[in-house]
């Protein structure tokens, strides 16, 4: 018995080598797809999204505190200056230093409010990371794909995150919800306002200021509604 | 007689639109020296912006006085199962158009899915009022001839905002026309007034509006320029539909070198 086994050993060895090379080959084929996924980026998004959804749905906080908590989380993790610059298109060269400072302050406020309004529809839902892939070949940008699943059985909402490497961590440049990149949408509006006011940058600042004022009221009433509905 | 007056009405409409075009003129192309304004003008790709904004306002006005109140009543009065039944029924009626475009795009699997959905929902789903197909693993997807043209490489063309119809740049306007030919409903009519297709168009509009009551409000309140925001949303959601929801990473803009702070 043992002798037969020994006699067949070379064959078994060959078979093993063939099997091993097949496995290696298969790994090499699937390898790139897996290697393209970025675990650090995925866990960054998972943490950020879960915290954002948790904060917006936290009922123990007053609406004002809730927005403050969301802002803290948001501003620390978003690349606001880059979003602001992107939203201006070629007009990025036109504001004076004072206008730039004012613009950055307003745009941060504005974006926080836009995101808080749109994300507050998704509180108390299940968030899942699906995949990630690099953008460009510098290795500095990553697109993370995720979805929000509904307990009601409604079709899940796809959400994509455009990340930029920032030291050991990441910053979010843009988020795509149901096919819409938010920064792209802002850019379209911002450029349109400046152009339709003959390049007057102050017109944009005024428009943003007006919207922030209105939205502050709206967000407060929305969060209060959620509170009364929840409590 | 009815047909005659209908044609007359269309003729007056066409004349009116041409007159409006003449009166409103086109958006003035910025001075070539003003690079930022020129870039903005080209990025917007909206040469008849003043006219489009006018139609946008007209539609918003009609929305406020007719569509929105109707949609609110529809949303408030009908129970959820009735609204879902109507949506399913309308979706099911659209299946032949979706199958035709799935096939034209060479998407055999998706054509199969739509065909299965149509068969299941028309029979088990009681003439399309129910949607058992989704539960059986046949998820719904939309398709139209505008998307088919895009798959064949036809560009969207300059932006056009049509009265009643909403955003309809040339490619999608042509698509809308061709889809009407694909649609069996177009050929079903009991009288000259095209009762069935017209009813379907109106009901579809009311149902869509009712489903987007809060979403559209939210967009209006979170945008600095509602018209430009809708233009961007339309284009983005169209390109997302054309790619069937898959992000084309290479088509995204290069943002690695833009910044605001370095010029301080």
């Amino acid at each position: 018995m043992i002798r037969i086994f020994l006699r067949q050993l070379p064959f078994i060895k060959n078979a093993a080598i063939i099997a091993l090379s097949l496995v290696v080959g298969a790994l090499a084929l699937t390898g790139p797809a897996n290697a393209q996924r970025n675990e650090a980026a995925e866990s960054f998004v998972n943490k950020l999204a879960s915290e954002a959804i948790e904060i917006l749905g936290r009922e123990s906080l007053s609406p004002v505190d809730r927005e403050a908590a969301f802002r803290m989380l948001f501003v620390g993790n978003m690349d606001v200056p880059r979003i602001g610059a992107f939203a201006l298109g070629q007009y990025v060269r036109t504001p004076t230093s004072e206008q730039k400072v004012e613009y950055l302050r307003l745009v941060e406020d504005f974006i926080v409010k836009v995101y808080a309004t749109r994300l507050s529809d998704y509180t108390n839902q299940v968030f899942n990371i699906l995949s990630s892939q690099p953008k460009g070949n510098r290795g500095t940008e990553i697109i993370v794909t995720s979805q929000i699943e509904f307990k009601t059985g409604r079709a899940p909402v796809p959400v994509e995150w455009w990340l930029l490497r920032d030291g050991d961590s990441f910053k979010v440049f843009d988020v795509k919800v149901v096919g819409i990149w938010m920064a792209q949408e802002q850019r379209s509006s911002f450029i349109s306002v400046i152009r339709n006011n003959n390049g007057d940058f102050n017109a944009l600042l005024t428009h943003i200021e007006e919207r922030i004022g209105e939205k502050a009221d709206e967000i407060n009433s929305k969060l209060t509604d959620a509170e009364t509905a929840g409590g | 007689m009815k047909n005659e007056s209908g044609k007359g009405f269309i003729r007056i409409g066409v004349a009116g639109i041409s007159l409006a075009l003449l009166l409103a003129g086109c958006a003035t192309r910025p001075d070539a020296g003003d690079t930022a304004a020129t870039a903005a003008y080209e990025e917007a790709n909206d040469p008849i912006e003043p006219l489009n904004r006018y139609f946008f306002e007209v539609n918003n006005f009609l929305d406020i006085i007719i569509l929105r109140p109707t949609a609110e009543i529809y949303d408030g009065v009908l129970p959820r199962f009735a609204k879902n039944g109507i949506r399913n029924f309308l979706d099911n009626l659209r299946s032949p158009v979706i199958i035709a475009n799935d096939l034209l795009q060479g998407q055999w699997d998706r054509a199969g899915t739509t065909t299965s959905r149509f068969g299941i929902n028309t029979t088990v789903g009681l003439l399309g009022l129910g949607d058992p197909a989704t539960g059986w693993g046949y998820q719904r997807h939309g398709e139209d001839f505008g998307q088919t043209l895009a798959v064949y490489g036809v560009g969207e063309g300059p932006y056009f905002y049509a009265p009643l119809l909403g955003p309809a740049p040339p490619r999608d306007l042509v698509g809308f026309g061709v889809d009407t030919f694909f649609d069996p409903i177009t050929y079903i009519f009991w009288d000259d007034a095209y009762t069935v297709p017209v009813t379907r168009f109106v009901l579809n509009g009311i149902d869509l509006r009712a489903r987007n009551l809060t979403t559209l409000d939210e967009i209006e309140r979170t945008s600095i320029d509602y018209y430009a925001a809708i233009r961007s949303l339309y284009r983005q959601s169209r390109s997302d539909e054309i790619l069937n929801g898959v992000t084309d990473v290479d088509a995204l803009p290069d943002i690695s070198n833009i910044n605001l702070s370095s010029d301080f």
Side-chain angles (χ1 to χ4, degrees):
Chain A
M1 186 68 188
I2 292 169
R3 214 172 286 162
I4 295 169
F5 179 77
L6 283 177
R7 222 181 294 147
Q8 287 188 340
L9 196 60
F11 169 73
I12 291 170
K13 217 160 96 191
N14 285 345
I17 288 168
I18 291 167
L20 192 68
S21 54
L22 278 177
V23 169
V24 170
L27 279 178
L29 281 175
T30 58
N34 286 328
Q36 304 236 315
R37 284 186 73 156
N38 188 321
E39 267 178 42
E42 288 182 22
S43 65
F44 169 82
V45 168
N46 196 20
K47 187 162 169 285
L48 176 62
S50 311
E51 273 180 46
I53 291 174
E54 190 269 322
I55 287 174
L56 291 171
R58 204 187 289 165
E59 280 159 16
S60 58
L61 289 178
S62 73
V64 179
D65 291 343
R66 215 177 296 165
E67 203 204 308
F70 180 74
R71 173 188 300 269
M72 280 269 289
L73 173 75
F74 184 91
V75 172
N77 288 293
M78 301 286 291
D79 194 342
V80 177
R82 198 183 297 264
I83 300 169
F86 176 74
L88 292 178
Q90 297 278 315
Y91 286 114
V92 71
R93 288 172 225 290
T94 61
T96 63
S97 317
E98 292 80 40
Q99 282 174 325
K100 274 183 189 169
V101 175
E102 178 70 355
Y103 172 69
L104 267 184
R105 187 180 69 77
L106 290 174
V107 94
E108 180 182 303
D109 232 22
F110 180 69
I111 300 175
V112 165
K113 281 172 200 227
V114 172
Y115 272 83
T117 313
R118 302 216 179 153
L119 283 179
S120 59
D121 293 341
Y122 302 124
T123 52
N124 300 321
Q125 310 299 342
V126 185
F127 181 80
N128 259 326
I129 300 280
L130 300 179
S131 181
S132 56
Q133 58 176 318
K135 177 195 177 284
N137 43 22
R138 280 188 216 85
T140 51
E141 294 171 51
I142 300 110
I143 308 284
V144 177
T145 313
S146 65
Q147 67 180 18
I148 296 169
E149 285 151 27
F150 294 86
K151 292 164 189 161
T152 54
R154 190 182 132 188
V157 167
V159 184
E160 283 176 46
W161 309 72
W162 185 340
L163 305 185
L164 285 152
R165 208 175 279 282
D166 179 51
D168 289 340
S169 185
F170 302 91
K171 285 218 156 153
V172 179
F173 169 69
D174 205 356
V175 180
K176 180 188 181 191
V177 186
V178 231
I180 312 291
W181 289 107
M182 307 266 250
Q184 193 70 51
E185 181 197 332
Q186 301 313 337
R187 177 183 170 110
S188 174
S189 303
F190 284 21
I191 293 180
S192 176
V193 167
I194 303 177
R195 194 171 80 78
N196 286 313
N197 285 284
N198 299 314
D200 180 10
F201 198 81
N202 283 328
L204 174 65
L205 297 178
T206 319
H207 271 77
I208 303 179
E209 224 161 10
E210 279 169 9
R211 272 296 179 237
I212 294 172
E214 284 170 33
K215 218 163 308 139
D217 304 338
E218 184 211 333
I219 283 212
N220 285 343
S221 73
K222 197 166 180 176
L223 290 176
T224 318
D225 285 353
E227 199 160 74
T228 33
Chain B
M1 186 60 205
K2 225 173 192 175
N3 245 340
E4 289 274 299
S5 66
K7 273 181 195 159
F9 181 72
I10 290 172
R11 227 171 280 151
I12 293 170
V14 169
I17 291 174
S18 340
L19 187 69
L21 266 166
L22 278 175
L23 288 177
C26 297
T28 39
R29 201 189 159 82
D31 201 45
D34 189 347
T35 48
T38 308
Y41 177 84
E42 272 162 14
E43 186 169 321
N45 190 15
D46 192 354
I48 53 164
E49 187 174 327
L51 183 68
N52 283 340
R53 278 189 190 265
Y54 173 73
F55 287 150
F56 185 72
E57 289 308 318
V58 170
N59 275 12
N60 280 348
F61 174 71
L62 292 176
D63 182 53
I64 291 167
I65 62 163
I66 306 172
L67 187 55
R68 193 199 163 95
T70 317
E72 274 172 344
I73 293 168
Y74 172 92
D75 193 46
V77 170
L78 291 186
R80 185 187 289 267
F81 76 88
K83 280 183 284 186
N84 287 345
I86 291 171
R87 183 72 262 160
N88 290 336
F89 183 72
L90 292 170
D91 281 349
N92 198 48
L93 282 186
R94 180 111 187 128
S95 300
V97 175
I98 301 174
I99 294 169
N101 285 296
D102 279 336
L103 291 174
L104 285 171
Q105 293 176 29
Q107 300 270 6
W108 316 118
D109 287 355
R110 281 163 68 93
T113 304
T114 310
T115 311
S116 307
R117 282 182 57 81
F118 190 52
I120 295 167
N121 286 348
T122 307
T123 54
V124 185
L126 304 173
L127 295 176
L129 289 170
D131 180 13
T134 298
W136 297 357
Y138 299 103
Q139 290 285 338
R140 180 180 191 277
H141 64 261
E143 238 8 295
D144 54 69
F145 196 70
Q147 293 187 47
T148 301
L149 286 175
V151 169
Y152 283 100
V154 178
E156 181 189 68
Y159 190 63
F160 175 54
Y161 190 95
L164 296 180
L165 216 52
R171 183 192 64 206
D172 297 339
L173 195 60
V174 169
F176 179 79
V178 173
D179 284 334
T180 312
F181 281 104
F182 285 157
D183 195 342
I185 297 294
T186 309
Y187 307 101
I188 302 173
F189 41 86
W190 297 317
D191 52 55
D192 290 341
Y194 299 96
T195 311
V196 175
V198 170
T199 309
R200 200 259 304 256
F201 182 79
V202 171
L203 189 58
N204 193 42
I206 295 171
D207 182 73
L208 276 181
R209 186 67 184 92
R211 269 157 213 283
N212 291 294
L213 283 170
T214 46
T215 315
L216 280 178
D217 278 359
E218 233 169 68
I219 293 166
E220 181 167 9
R221 267 179 270 153
T222 48
S223 50
I224 284 181
D225 182 339
Y226 189 33
Y227 169 83
I230 292 291
R231 187 175 61 199
S232 170
L233 293 181
Y234 178 76
R235 283 180 172 153
Q236 289 203 54
S237 64
R238 282 303 280 173
S239 61
D240 192 60
E241 281 171 358
I242 290 160
L243 295 168
N244 297 333
V246 181
T247 300
D248 180 4
V249 173
D250 299 325
L252 294 174
D254 182 14
I255 50 128
S256 51
N257 290 320
I258 51 168
N259 61 78
L260 198 64
S261 38
S262 67
D263 293 342
F264 275 89

